[in-house]
Amino acid sequence: MAANEDAVQEFTPKKKPPSEDEKRKKKIVPGSLMKALMRPGGGDAGPSDGDQIIYHCTIRTLDGVLVESTRSDYGGKGIPIRHVLGKSKMLLGLLEGIPSMLKGEVAMFKMKPQLHYGEDDCPVSAPDGFPKDDELHFEIELIEFFKAKVVTDDLGVVKKVECEGQGWESPREPYEVKALISAKTVTGKLIMSHMEGEPYFFTFGKSEVPKGLEMAIGTMVREEKAVIYVTSQYLTESPLMPVIEGYDEVHFEVELVHFIQVRDMLGDGRLIKRRIRDGKGDFPMDCPLHDSLLRVHYKGTVLNEEKRVFYDTRVDNDGQPLEFCSGEGLVPEGFEMSVRLMLPGEIALVTCPPDYAYDKFPRPLNVPEGAHIQWEIELLGFETPKDWTGLDFKSIMNEAENIRNTGNRLFKEGKYELAKAKYEKVLREFNHVNPQDDEEGKVFADTRNLLHLNVAACHLKLGECKKSIETCNKVLEANPAHVKGLYRRGMAYMAAGDFEEARADFKMMKVDKSTESDATAALQKLKQKEQDVEKKARKQFKGLFDKKPGEISEAKADVDGDQITSESQKDDEVHGDSDGTNSEDSHEAPPEAQRTGWFSLFWPSGRRLFESLGINRCTIL
């Protein structure tokens, strides 16, 4: 029984701590707040936390003397008060009393001083000369209340949804937006209107509409209709409307007609993808984010004065689309980055700088070096990679070998990030593979070790020595005498300048007599590198102490910079393979990868050359 009681106690959910408003309400004592109904309202329920309330308020003394009012009849501006329950700072009596009212109701609240401005630590400052120590009558007319979207924490921008829209995506910088917009004062006077004819067009993030309006539109979805309440501090000047003096608040009626997704792919304005026809599905869940077999039509244009088209699949490829596997470096980086964020059926216009187009990729003869490129791309469809669920062990290992071979080809092409992604993909899949016997266990363990060492080689090529060492440790923790693991880690230590650790790993390799020659060669490389570093240091520090203090500091900075450059250059000379010691077979591209025919599809100028080499179709691994 006691155990059961403990269990109940253990799983009892913790109560949320009381909010500040709830703590304040505990101060209310019987008789301090009285309500008299003056005009009944309509509906079944009053406002609750999260609702925006709009009300008029007139305050009088108990003998009827007017203190202040929002109504123009009593000397006020005629502008009702707008608060959000649970968010706005309010008088305690109103915080307790207004939720008891219905829409359209008029009520009189009799409040003791501690329920209005006489409250200890009242969050609202009393106006000058206000009788905060007197018992007062507050006449409240609850004009309207509704669930509100609070856009800014200071309640300077609040949105009321009039009609729900479609989908979930909202515009953001630098999307292109079309919206029907009108603006009115609090009293309903029309300031401007774009509600008829062509919608107002603007680019998000370009200050083409007032700041508060843009912030609220950034929370809307297609076809949504809303009223947006914007206070003066968010009414910045824009082409839509000038800054209007004398208005504390403007109400915008907005219908978000449409927006075009525009993505700054690099964040620096150089690689821009602009959607010109929507695709099918939900972004980004239905995009080919992962490695997939893609089918696209595209037209490539050189962005020069003539805007010359250099290739069009519909014209130059007999109307056949380009088919390629993503994640394999088969198309320019900017092209692939953009297609991965497209939906099937979508058409996008991509403007690409040369370093993400053809300056770092085999360039068609009719595309000049340094040219900016524009691609018009239509994603016809894609196929996701084969699911390994249900495959037998042999089939799984064949799939793993195909992906590893692709990674090896990418490594040899110097595309180390892509190669690393291939190896890591297989390693992730291996988390769900369970060998059934010792023979399968050995094959599985050997392949996994090979993949870890390939990843380590990629880290090393990318200058990430620490990560390379950590990856090698995953192999050496299980088998401290793993020769290839020792060799790879030793190379990483040597590249990092940790010569003693590297020497220890290379000497450990000699335990295996079959790799003694490899260990000797590695130790010789290490010795040579140590000598090179020492020689460079002597040369650079020669005469250093004859310099003035400022010159010494400058010389030291030069030494550090030269040393890093030297080690980076040596890295390519020393680390040639991925998973062996001095062997080259680990990154050899498979025969299939040597017959890929995507070159002839992607541009026409090299077609005859590649066809003469027997390249005539795309091979998918």
Side-chain angles (χ1 to χ4, degrees), residues 543-558:
L544 180 65
F545 296 101
D546 296 332
K547 297 179 181 291
K548 296 176 181 178
E551 293 174 331
I552 292 174
S553 176
E554 184 178 350
K556 178 64 170 67
D558 291 343

Side-chain angles (χ1 to χ4, degrees), residues 11 35 44 48 53 150 219 230 359 390 414 489 491 528:
F11 292 104
K35 175 184 175 182
D44 299 323
S48 57
I53 53 175
V150 177
T219 69
V230 182
D359 279 11
R489 189 174 69 176
M491 288 295 182
Q528 183 62 49

Side-chain angles (χ1 to χ4, degrees), residues 427 449 452 455 469-479:
L427 285 168
N449 287 339
H452 278 309
V455 171
I469 292 165
E470 290 171 351
T471 308
C472 290
N473 287 340
K474 294 177 182 179
V475 176
L476 293 168
E477 283 169 3
N479 182 3

Side-chain angles (χ1 to χ4, degrees), residues 292-471:
S292 305
L293 173 60
L294 302 161
R295 294 182 301 280
V296 302
H297 270 305
Y298 83 96
K299 179 168 67 176
T301 303
V302 177
L303 287 179
N304 52 15
E305 293 180 3
E306 298 83 17
K307 293 190 175 180
R308 176 171 47 82
V309 175
F310 63 87
Y311 192 66
D312 187 339
T313 52
R314 289 183 170 86
V315 176
D316 301 304
N317 197 45
D318 300 323
Q320 296 301 307
L322 168 68
E323 188 173 283
F324 69 98
C325 276
S326 58
E328 296 187 6
L330 300 177
V331 296
E333 189 174 357
F335 190 97
E336 181 167 325
M337 287 173 66
S338 301
V339 175
R340 281 178 180 262
L341 291 179
M342 294 178 67
L343 292 167
E346 178 182 334
I347 297 178
L349 204 61
V350 177
T351 305
C352 185
D355 53 328
Y356 280 80
Y358 296 108
D359 279 11
K360 293 182 179 178
F361 191 82
R363 190 171 64 257
L365 296 177
N366 56 349
V367 174
E369 184 178 356
H372 287 253
I373 300 299
Q374 179 177 280
W375 291 297
E376 183 180 304
I377 307 169
E378 179 182 2
L379 176 59
L380 302 175
F382 65 91
E383 297 174 15
T384 54
K386 183 185 294 184
D387 187 356
W388 290 9
T389 304
L391 294 181
D392 59 32
F393 183 78
K394 183 178 179 181
S395 299
I396 288 173
M397 298 311 291
N398 286 339
E399 289 294 324
E401 184 65 12
N402 287 338
I403 297 173
R404 192 182 77 86
N405 285 336
T406 301
N408 291 350
R409 173 179 62 78
L410 292 167
F411 187 95
K412 286 182 176 294
E413 292 173 0
K415 299 169 182 174
Y416 306 120
E417 285 286 4
L418 291 176
K420 180 163 68 72
K422 292 295 181 185
Y423 303 140
E424 289 176 335
K425 176 183 177 180
V426 181
L427 285 168
R428 284 194 300 272
E429 293 289 346
F430 272 13
N431 290 330
H432 310 291
V433 176
N434 297 303
Q436 298 301 307
D437 54 43
D438 290 345
E439 183 179 349
E440 287 185 358
K442 185 178 186 309
V443 172
F444 179 76
D446 289 345
T447 304
R448 185 172 56 189
N449 287 339
L450 196 63
L451 289 163
H452 278 309
L453 294 176
N454 284 357
V455 171
C458 292
H459 281 309
L460 197 54
K461 287 293 187 181
L462 293 167
E464 299 165 348
C465 299
K466 183 179 179 182
K467 289 182 179 179
S468 182
I469 292 165
E470 290 171 351
T471 308

